[in-house]
Amino acid sequence: MSTKSLKWSFLFLGIWTLAVHFSLVNSQCQRPKDIYKVLETDPKGSLILSVPATDGYTWRYVIYNAKYSPIKNYLKFFKHNDRYDMTLSRPLDLEELRDKYKLKEASYSIRMYCNGPSKRELEYGIVLIIIAVNEHPPRFNTSNINVYVNETSKSVTVIKLIDWASDEDQNPLNREIKLIYFGPPFNPFLGMRRYTGSVYTRSPLDYESLPENFKYLKAGVRVRDTGGLVGTATLTIHVLDADDLPPKFTYTGCPEPCDSVLYTAEVDAYAIGRLTRIEPAPIYAEDGDDLGSSVTYKMTQGPQNIFDYVSMDPVTAEVAIQKQLIGLQISQIVILIEAQENTLAKRRSKCTSLLISVLSGSPHAALHTREPRQANAFIVGAVLASIIFFIIVILVVILVFR
């Protein structure tokens, strides 16, 4: 064999030897899988991956992005016999990663490095995926949701419950809450758009039509997450009174609804003073709403020159005869009376009538007022005093002439 041929033979043998060597290196550095998965609830010690490490081969790993370095606190990578194992040092809880490290991702890139006797280090990229588990039920921020709404003439959206609901679970799609709906007790006056939790009234709200001490609408509400877990709460819509009604004339014992009271009175044609015997009761009006606004009274219409003869106190609604009604030469007087609420808004008002029957009598007739009652009491007292005095005089005379 020529020297040239021998030279090429040794060269080929050397190349072949190197090829075999690198082939052995690659065979010992077994390539890991591309993707590994773990549940966020998997316990400490759960195996994530295992790679062979024989004949002096070693493995190491690096979290690809420094931002995700806290993930290393959850992993344990160690040699066990002739293999390297990666296990959980504690559960990779997505909620803990979010709350403690502000990490909201559910997949992380890891670089695996295999180093053998040849000192030629091989690199492999893998992805660790954390699978979310529906651990926590959704909930409302409070178990009793209270909303205050003024009564209105049209239906309105009362509340958007999506703003009151939350779910502690960390979902990679950030759509943990699926829908919101009504539960017992149901209320026929309320409706809901289930995917937003927008609660609206099906009919106009009317404070006055609601029973006393029950000026609210109540319903049960539910929130469901993507895993089917449910949270509950009670929604109470308190209806607030609005200034939408005029004053109403009323009195104790007035039949319901007490919204129309007509007043009557009788007076002697020659009498002067306050009317006290007004039927069915003294003139009185109150705010038609429950706002407690005060009321002012006035007489608005009547026979010609009537206001020269009759007056009304704007605060107490007391009616007084200022001049003898004989001068009007009429037997019945109808006066229109207005009650107006004292508010800064619309100052609503309502009217009713007072019918005064004028009785023919003498100039000395008594008026059905408080003053004649006081005069009668004085007369009775004087008579009793005279009788007592007379009895005393008789007793003195008897004693003197005995």
Side-chain angles (χ1 to χ4, degrees):
M1 180 179 294
S2 65
T3 304
K4 187 176 181 180
S5 298
L6 185 63
K7 185 177 181 180
W8 280 105
S9 297
F10 279 112
L11 180 61
F12 176 78
L13 180 62
I15 293 174
W16 181 82
T17 302
L18 288 174
V20 170
H21 175 75
F22 285 123
S23 175
L24 290 174
V25 170
N26 289 335
S27 66
Q28 295 298 323
C29 293
Q30 181 178 329
R31 180 182 182 87
K33 295 188 299 182
D34 294 330
I35 298 175
Y36 292 86
K37 297 180 180 180
V38 60
L39 295 177
E40 64 168 322
T41 54
D42 280 346
K44 174 182 178 181
S46 297
L47 180 65
I48 300 174
L49 64 84
S50 181
V51 290
T54 58
D55 300 328
Y57 289 88
T58 61
W59 286 85
R60 66 184 180 92
Y61 80 96
V62 174
I63 304 296
Y64 183 70
N65 191 324
K67 174 184 175 182
Y68 306 134
S69 58
I71 295 297
K72 201 166 185 177
N73 299 329
Y74 295 79
L75 306 179
K76 182 179 180 181
F77 191 63
F78 59 96
K79 186 176 182 181
H80 177 66
N81 296 327
D82 59 349
R83 303 189 70 82
Y84 275 88
D85 292 339
M86 179 180 287
T87 62
L88 289 174
S89 58
R90 66 174 187 264
L92 269 167
D93 186 76
L94 288 173
E95 290 75 49
E96 182 177 316
L97 292 174
R98 175 196 63 199
D99 299 336
K100 190 173 182 179
Y101 301 108
K102 310 301 180 185
L103 299 178
K104 296 184 179 181
E105 292 76 11
S107 61
Y108 298 91
S109 296
I110 298 176
R111 289 288 185 264
M112 302 290 299
Y113 297 94
C114 179
N115 198 353
S118 67
K119 305 300 182 183
R120 180 173 180 268
E121 192 172 55
L122 299 181
E123 177 183 345
Y124 305 99
I126 67 172
V127 176
L128 176 61
I129 297 177
I130 307 171
I131 301 174
V133 176
N134 195 35
E135 304 171 81
H136 308 282
R139 62 184 180 87
F140 292 101
N141 297 345
T142 175
S143 59
N144 292 289
I145 304 172
N146 291 279
V147 184
Y148 297 84
V149 181
N150 286 320
E151 64 173 325
T152 178
S153 59
K154 60 181 180 180
S155 60
V156 294
T157 296
V158 176
I159 186 175
K160 291 183 178 179
L161 290 172
I162 192 68
D163 298 330
W164 292 69
S166 60
D167 194 304
E168 189 178 345
D169 285 317
Q170 171 65 23
N171 188 316
L173 299 178
N174 294 319
R175 286 185 55 193
E176 188 65 25
I177 293 177
K178 186 175 183 179
L179 57 89
I180 301 174
Y181 56 97
F182 283 125
F186 297 97
N187 195 306
F189 295 101
L190 299 176
M192 182 190 294
R193 297 173 182 87
R194 301 179 66 176
Y195 293 100
T196 61
S198 297
V199 178
Y200 59 90
T201 55
R202 294 185 181 274
S203 58
L205 297 176
D206 182 46
Y207 180 89
E208 287 71 30
S209 67
L210 296 174
E212 194 67 28
N213 300 324
F214 292 94
K215 304 295 186 180
Y216 56 81
L217 304 176
K218 183 172 285 189
V221 290
R222 304 285 186 269
V223 55
R224 180 184 297 170
D225 64 15
T226 53
L229 299 180
V230 175
T232 65
T234 299
L235 172 65
T236 304
I237 301 171
H238 301 270
V239 182
L240 303 179
D241 195 9
D243 187 14
D244 62 340
L245 294 178
K248 63 178 180 179
F249 290 93
T250 184
Y251 59 90
T252 302
C254 182
E256 292 293 340
C258 186
D259 57 359
S260 180
V261 181
L262 302 178
Y263 297 95
T264 62
E266 292 183 349
V267 62
D268 190 276
Y270 295 95
I272 294 178
R274 288 180 293 173
L275 286 176
T276 57
R277 295 184 181 178
I278 299 176
E279 299 295 338
I283 298 172
Y284 172 76
E286 62 184 21
D287 191 352
D289 306 297
D290 281 356
L291 301 178
S293 301
S294 61
V295 175
T296 300
Y297 306 90
K298 66 179 178 179
M299 298 184 296
T300 60
Q301 294 182 26
Q304 187 176 7
N305 301 325
I306 188 62
F307 300 137
D308 294 334
Y309 291 82
V310 183
S311 66
M312 171 174 278
D313 188 298
V315 177
T316 64
E318 289 184 333
V319 178
I321 306 300
Q322 302 178 99
K323 293 172 59 176
Q324 295 177 349
L325 298 178
I326 190 66
L328 289 175
Q329 299 297 314
I330 52 178
S331 61
Q332 288 191 326
I333 301 171
V334 178
I335 301 176
L336 194 64
I337 299 172
E338 179 186 271
Q340 185 179 62
E341 61 185 20
N342 298 315
T343 62
L344 298 176
K346 295 185 178 181
R347 294 180 61 85
R348 301 176 187 273
S349 63
K350 188 170 184 178
C351 295
T352 189
S353 61
L354 169 62
L355 171 62
I356 301 177
S357 298
V358 183
L359 305 177
S360 59
S362 68
H364 306 291
L367 179 67
H368 297 159
T369 63
R370 296 175 188 171
E371 291 81 4
R373 290 181 181 177
Q374 294 173 356
N376 291 338
F378 177 78
I379 293 172
V380 172
V383 170
L384 290 175
S386 299
I387 293 173
I388 294 172
F389 177 76
F390 182 72
I391 293 173
I392 294 173
V393 171
I394 293 174
L395 290 175
V396 171
V397 171
I398 293 173
L399 291 174
V400 169
F401 291 98
R402 236 177 119 173

